[in-house]
């Protein structure tokens, strides 16, 4: 048994000071990921600072049409919030497809963004893993890699980012607000997630003791016509093989605006900017959708085990765009089952 000290913070500044002043301390929110890592000896903090009493649970629509979400808002509460379901249906769908009801009732939004990778080599606490022990190597490169990334990889790490809602937030240009030892900061969500490069252990630009306080989603009128499509091996509580967060605006049969991000295929939530650029001004035709998907996946670097993800991602993009063009904004049912999109 390893002794762990537990304290309960009563205000945000105290929580930040408690963790930033001690390199062996860590924040504890819902605990749905952290407790598992503690049990597996992957994480070994000597003190946990419980932040669940902090006033960071708000879900408030802005007059401009956006929404501000407290870092401690539970996933289930955000998914059920009328302002989210009306203005940003892809966020609600991503949350509902992201975990079991029990986990959604416990997990916080900030914790979801900070969850660690689901790579088995990272979590077994024994295999070489550059995320867990920098410089030891990446076991997945030559090992079992069926669920691993094909975009944004490096020779040092090919683990996929596991969050569903982060994919939707990246498509919407959200911002992550924090409070740390140096005061308040704000990050564009796409910059908040770092590619592994030669330092895969560094997943975010935050310093030790920096706390997520709020997620800001700007007004995005196009998001009212959006969906989150998730393809996975089984319908019940499974991580994405491929997912697509998409929003679309069509005028006179031509795409006027599009937002798109991919999950399950990259080392971070992947903004599909190449596909977006290709689609602006294109006709709402399957051939154009397929070409945009091929353009986005052109730099994929698959292993022998996960090469199927390249085609699967292309099919998922086409299906998501087809659904939006058909006026079907409910991405949950088609994306929740097993098998590949047609």
């Amino acid at each position: 048994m390893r002794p762990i000290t537990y304290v309960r913070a009563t205000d945000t500044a105290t929580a930040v000071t408690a963790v930033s002043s001690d390199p062996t301390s860590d924040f504890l929110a819902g605990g749905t990921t952290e407790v598992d890592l503690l049990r597996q000896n992957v994480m070994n903090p000597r003190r946990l600072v419980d932040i669940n009493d902090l006033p960071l649970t708000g879900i408030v629509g802005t007059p401009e049409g956006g929404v501000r979400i407290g870092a401690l808002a539970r996933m289930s509460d955000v998914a059920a919030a009328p302002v989210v379901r009306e203005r940003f249906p892809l966020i609600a769908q991503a949350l509902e497809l992201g975990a079991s009801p029990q986990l959604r009732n416990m997990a916080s939004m900030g914790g979801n963004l900070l969850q660690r990778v689901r790579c088995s080599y990272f979590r077994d606490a024994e295999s070489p893993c550059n995320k867990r022990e920098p410089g030891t190597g990446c076991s997945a490169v030559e090992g079992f890699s069926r669920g691993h990334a094909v975009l944004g990889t490096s020779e040092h790490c090919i683990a996929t980012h596991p969050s569903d809602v982060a994919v939707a937030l990246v498509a919407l240009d959200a911002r992550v607000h924090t409070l740390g030892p140096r005061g308040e900061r704000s990050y564009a969500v796409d910059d908040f997630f770092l590619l592994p490069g030669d330092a895969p252990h560094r997943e975010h630009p935050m310093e030790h003791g920096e706390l997520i306080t709020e997620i800001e989603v700007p007004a995005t009128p196009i998001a009212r016509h959006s969906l989150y499509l998730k393809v996975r091996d089984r319908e019940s509580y499974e991580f994405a093989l491929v997912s697509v967060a998409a929003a679309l605006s069509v005028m006179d049969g031509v795409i006027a605006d599009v937002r798109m991000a991919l999950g399950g295929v990259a080392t971070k939530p992947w903004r599909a900017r190449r596909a977006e650029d290709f689609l602006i001004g294109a006709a709402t035709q399957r051939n154009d959708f397929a070409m945009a998907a091929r353009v986005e996946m052109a730099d994929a670097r698959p292993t022998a085990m996960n090469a199927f993800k390249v085609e699967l991602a292309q099919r998922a993009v086409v299906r998501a765009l087809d659904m939006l063009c058909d006026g079907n904004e409910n991405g949950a049912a088609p994306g929740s089952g097993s098998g590949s999109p047609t």
Side-chain angles (χ1 to χ4, degrees), residues 17-318:
T17 300
V19 174
S20 62
S21 62
D22 181 1
T24 70
S25 291
D26 204 356
F27 297 114
L28 176 67
T32 55
T33 294
E34 189 163 18
V35 172
D36 287 342
L37 297 178
L38 285 168
R39 289 171 174 166
Q40 295 165 336
N41 290 316
V42 176
M43 292 179 61
N44 296 289
R46 292 206 293 263
R47 181 172 66 166
L48 293 176
V49 179
D50 191 322
I51 58 174
N52 283 289
D53 287 342
L54 304 186
L56 303 175
T57 60
I59 308 167
V60 181
T62 66
E64 298 79 15
V67 66
R68 303 181 77 96
I69 302 169
L72 290 177
R74 304 303 175 184
M75 290 172 59
S76 55
D77 292 335
V78 177
V83 67
V84 174
R85 301 188 75 84
E86 177 186 352
R87 298 179 181 181
F88 305 101
L90 74 171
I91 291 179
Q93 292 168 10
L95 289 167
E96 289 171 344
L97 291 171
S100 67
Q102 295 89 341
L103 286 175
R104 293 199 303 270
N105 286 333
M106 285 293 297
S108 68
M109 290 292 291
N112 184 282
L113 299 188
L114 294 175
Q115 64 182 298
R116 305 303 300 274
V117 296
R118 258 48 186 197
C119 175
S120 59
Y121 299 108
F122 169 77
R123 289 174 173 260
D124 70 10
E126 297 293 335
S127 301
C129 173
N130 288 318
K131 276 191 179 294
R132 192 180 64 250
E133 295 183 56
T136 58
C138 176
S139 298
V141 170
E142 299 295 335
F144 185 76
S145 57
R146 180 177 181 271
H148 286 65
V150 299
L151 292 171
T153 61
S154 76
E155 62 181 311
H156 303 288
C157 184
I158 60 172
T160 52
H161 192 277
S163 173
D164 287 288
V165 73
V167 180
L169 294 172
V170 164
L172 297 169
D173 292 322
R175 296 196 68 84
V176 178
H177 297 277
T178 68
L179 178 66
R182 304 183 190 184
E184 296 181 352
R185 290 183 179 179
S186 177
Y187 304 90
V189 71
D190 199 18
D191 297 331
F192 184 74
F193 301 103
L194 304 179
L195 292 172
D198 58 3
H201 62 287
R202 185 164 170 76
E203 298 176 346
H204 309 281
M206 296 194 304
E207 60 185 319
H208 181 71
E210 194 170 351
L211 176 68
I212 297 177
T213 56
E214 186 179 69
I215 300 162
E216 177 189 2
V217 187
T220 314
I222 187 178
R224 292 177 181 265
H225 188 60
S226 64
L227 60 76
Y228 186 75
L229 175 68
K230 183 174 183 177
V231 182
R232 47 190 173 176
D233 284 325
R234 61 180 183 180
E235 183 172 353
S236 175
Y237 185 35
E238 184 62 276
F239 295 97
L241 290 173
V242 171
S243 65
V244 182
L248 193 67
S249 173
V250 177
M251 296 183 64
D252 299 324
V254 173
I255 297 174
D257 195 8
V258 61
R259 301 288 187 90
M260 190 184 305
L262 306 178
V265 296
T267 53
K268 59 178 282 185
W270 192 262
R271 183 68 178 268
R273 298 189 186 278
R274 289 182 177 180
E276 290 177 348
D277 291 343
F278 182 91
L279 288 168
I280 297 294
T284 54
Q285 299 176 354
R286 268 197 159 215
N287 287 342
D288 286 335
F289 298 164
M291 180 58 72
R294 287 196 293 272
V295 167
E296 190 59 51
M297 299 303 296
D299 290 340
R301 296 172 56 190
T303 67
M305 288 188 178
N306 68 10
F308 72 95
K309 282 194 173 189
V310 178
E311 181 178 355
L312 184 60
Q314 293 175 20
R315 293 187 179 194
V317 167
V318 172

